[in-house]
Amino acid sequence: MRKLLGLTALGLLVSAGVANAADKVVVVTSFPKELTDAFEAAFAASNLDYELEILSKGTSAAVKYIQETAGNNTSDLMWASAPDAFEVLKGNDLLAKVEINAEGIPEKIGTYPINDPDGFYYGFAASGYGIMWNTRYLQANELEPAKEWEDLAKPEYFGHVGMSAPSRSGTTHLTVETLLQGAGWEKGWADWKWISGNMNTVTERSFGVPDGVNSGNFGLGVVIDFFGFSSRASGFPVDFAYPSVTAVVPANIGVVKNAPNPEGAKAFIEFVLSPEGQQVLFDPAIMRLPVNPAAYATAPDGIPNPFEGDDVKASVNFDADRSEKRYNVVNSLFDVMVTYRLTELREAVRAVQLAEIALADKDNAEAKALIAEARALIDATPITEEESLDPSFAAVFQQKRKKESDVIEGRQAEVEQQWDAFVVENYAKAKALAEKAASL
């Protein structure tokens, strides 16, 4: 009898396991645990039919995972900030077109569509990009907050700035692309190199930037807005500003094509777009901007409303199609020019800064010409914007490094080696010219 009861119990457990597997919703996401835990708990409390399973991956890694598992799909949802990543998946025919029931959400935020017009993914939160800083750190180092991108390039911020690489962070990729679109290809890259020349570090993940600012490892960081808001709400001595050249775009969620549990996936999207789900965004550990304007009636202090007033002056009409076409090109170019040559870039930038400081009160035409030449060498980018948007050229960049030592092969390796030789020579020449100017 006892054995029979044991077998019966085992059978029930097996049956329950099968049922749970059928009701599981697998979410591939780049969002931090604080956000996913809060939504998982809120969804579980309101919906007993489905259980979430979170697969945490960086945005680029999440896209690659969905691409590689397309033939034997085990995931239901893609959930991330970067609209261009969703455009990549949509272009690969890896997202399902679904109809979602949601009320009160407008078609656009500013000039940008909140949802994919074709119905393949949906915006659930809005995001802007800017600068956060540690108030105590700045006070101790007698620095003012940097509120424009150009501010971060000033010599007084040398060694005080942190940022992640766009190849490792979808939100950083959006930030880099926003400045490229807002300032133009050539000036945008020049700005990023002068900002990067002031860097203390390039972090492994985007989360490392707010962590570094919160702890005072460095004073200022290039971040997505909610990192600044959530850190401030959690009691850290930090603040955040949107530069005038920024964009507000939706963070997105979409059903993976041939998802094992499409109904569960749809149920979760409808939850995050519901009034209850939108309120979860105000959790102090999250602090993201809802896409439902009605939600702002209960917004905590310090949360701007992108639908009203001038809280967020987004001057860039972000072009997700343009960003998607050159997604991998931009990532590789940043890594070659900045991430993997940060020491050489910092040395060149610092040499120019010190030369300009030394010559500030002197009228030396020869020295000024040398400095102008050094600046031009640092500014220079090895490809044009037209080349970055050429589909045949962009197709070369399909291999992704997890670390600098990873081997890249074929045509991509050849191009990256050419870029590397270009910037190494330019940075060395710029440093030598600046040092010569300083000695005159």
Side-chain angles (χ1 to χ4, degrees):
M1 183 68 175
R2 183 177 298 170
K3 183 177 180 180
L4 180 60
L5 287 172
L7 291 172
T8 302
L10 178 62
L12 290 172
L13 286 171
V14 171
S15 298
V18 172
N20 286 337
D23 294 338
K24 181 172 63 177
V25 179
V26 179
V27 185
V28 183
T29 181
S30 62
F31 291 132
K33 192 173 188 296
E34 292 81 1
L35 184 147
T36 57
D37 282 356
F39 271 98
E40 190 172 6
F43 182 60
S46 68
N47 192 316
L48 301 178
D49 295 329
Y50 304 106
E51 178 182 353
L52 297 187
E53 179 179 321
I54 303 296
L55 296 183
S56 180
K57 297 180 180 292
T59 304
S60 297
V63 170
K64 191 171 183 62
Y65 175 79
I66 292 173
Q67 290 170 333
E68 291 177 345
T69 58
N72 184 27
N73 191 26
T74 58
S75 52
D76 298 295
L77 286 166
M78 170 70 170
W79 196 21
S81 288
D84 41 12
F86 284 83
E87 283 295 306
V88 169
L89 293 175
K90 177 183 172 182
N92 294 160
D93 193 27
L94 294 175
L95 294 178
K97 186 174 183 178
V98 295
E99 292 187 10
I100 298 297
N101 296 318
E103 296 182 359
I105 297 175
E107 291 185 3
K108 295 182 178 181
I109 182 164
T111 60
Y112 199 95
I114 290 178
N115 302 321
D116 172 41
D118 298 322
F120 286 93
Y121 57 90
Y122 290 80
F124 80 98
S127 301
Y129 310 94
I131 305 163
M132 70 179 288
W133 59 88
N134 185 307
T135 56
R136 293 176 186 169
Y137 181 106
L138 295 193
Q139 185 177 11
N141 287 276
E142 299 182 346
L143 295 171
E144 294 295 321
K147 298 184 178 180
E148 296 289 347
W149 299 121
E150 291 85 352
D151 291 342
L152 287 177
K154 293 178 179 178
E156 57 262 39
Y157 296 111
F158 182 80
H160 297 299
V161 182
M163 181 178 174
S164 59
S167 61
R168 303 171 189 173
S169 163
T171 56
T172 304
H173 176 90
L174 287 175
T175 310
V176 169
E177 180 66 45
T178 293
L179 184 54
L180 294 180
Q181 293 189 20
W185 179 260
E186 292 182 359
K187 186 179 185 306
W189 275 121
D191 286 346
W192 279 125
K193 282 187 277 186
W194 288 98
I195 292 168
S196 300
N198 279 340
M199 281 189 200
N200 173 290
T201 185
V202 176
T203 65
E204 288 292 328
R205 292 289 300 272
S206 57
F207 315 139
V209 180
D211 288 347
V213 176
N214 291 342
S215 65
N217 286 339
F218 44 89
L220 307 100
V222 176
V223 298
I224 192 170
D225 53 10
F226 70 86
F227 280 145
F229 299 148
S230 60
S231 291
R232 187 173 59 193
S234 298
F236 289 101
V238 301
D239 211 341
F240 172 88
Y242 294 105
S244 55
V245 179
T246 193
V248 175
V249 299
N252 302 284
I253 188 167
V255 179
V256 178
K257 189 172 183 179
N258 299 321
N261 192 347
E263 291 304 314
K266 181 178 176 180
F268 183 66
I269 295 178
E270 291 181 346
F271 171 76
V272 300
L273 296 178
S274 70
E276 182 182 358
Q278 291 284 282
Q279 288 298 313
V280 176
L281 294 169
F282 292 144
D283 183 297
I286 300 174
M287 298 294 274
R288 297 198 70 145
L289 309 181
V291 293
N292 190 331
Y296 291 90
T298 58
D301 291 341
I303 288 289
N305 185 342
F307 295 99
E308 292 183 1
D310 295 325
D311 287 347
V312 186
K313 298 176 181 178
S315 64
V316 180
N317 294 326
F318 191 85
D319 186 338
D321 181 61
R322 176 177 293 259
S323 180
E324 181 269 331
K325 286 178 180 177
R326 64 188 186 200
Y327 188 88
N328 292 326
V329 176
V330 166
N331 288 347
S332 291
L333 193 51
F334 188 97
D335 276 343
V336 171
M337 295 197 300
V338 177
T339 311
Y340 304 142
R341 290 298 177 183
L342 187 59
T343 298
E344 293 89 341
L345 176 58
R346 281 192 295 218
E347 290 176 352
V349 165
R350 192 55 176 166
V352 171
Q353 291 173 346
L354 293 175
E356 290 178 334
I357 292 169
L359 296 163
D361 298 325
K362 298 178 182 180
D363 187 14
N364 188 321
E366 181 184 357
K368 288 181 179 178
L370 290 172
I371 291 173
E373 188 179 349
R375 278 190 164 273
L377 286 166
I378 293 172
D379 288 351
T381 302
I383 61 170
T384 65
E385 181 165 31
E386 288 71 25
E387 288 175 294
S388 77
L389 295 168
D390 181 342
S392 61
F393 183 72
V396 168
F397 298 88
Q398 300 300 321
Q399 301 171 69
K400 181 179 181 295
R401 288 184 180 90
K402 292 185 178 179
K403 55 184 182 298
E404 183 179 357
S405 59
D406 287 351
V407 176
I408 298 295
E409 299 176 338
R411 177 61 178 153
Q412 180 176 340
E414 293 176 7
V415 174
E416 289 186 358
Q417 288 166 5
Q418 291 168 5
W419 291 350
D420 185 62
F422 176 89
V423 298
V424 167
E425 182 179 5
N426 279 12
Y427 295 162
K429 285 183 178 179
K431 179 184 177 185
L433 290 168
E435 289 174 344
K436 181 179 179 179
S439 68
L440 294 177

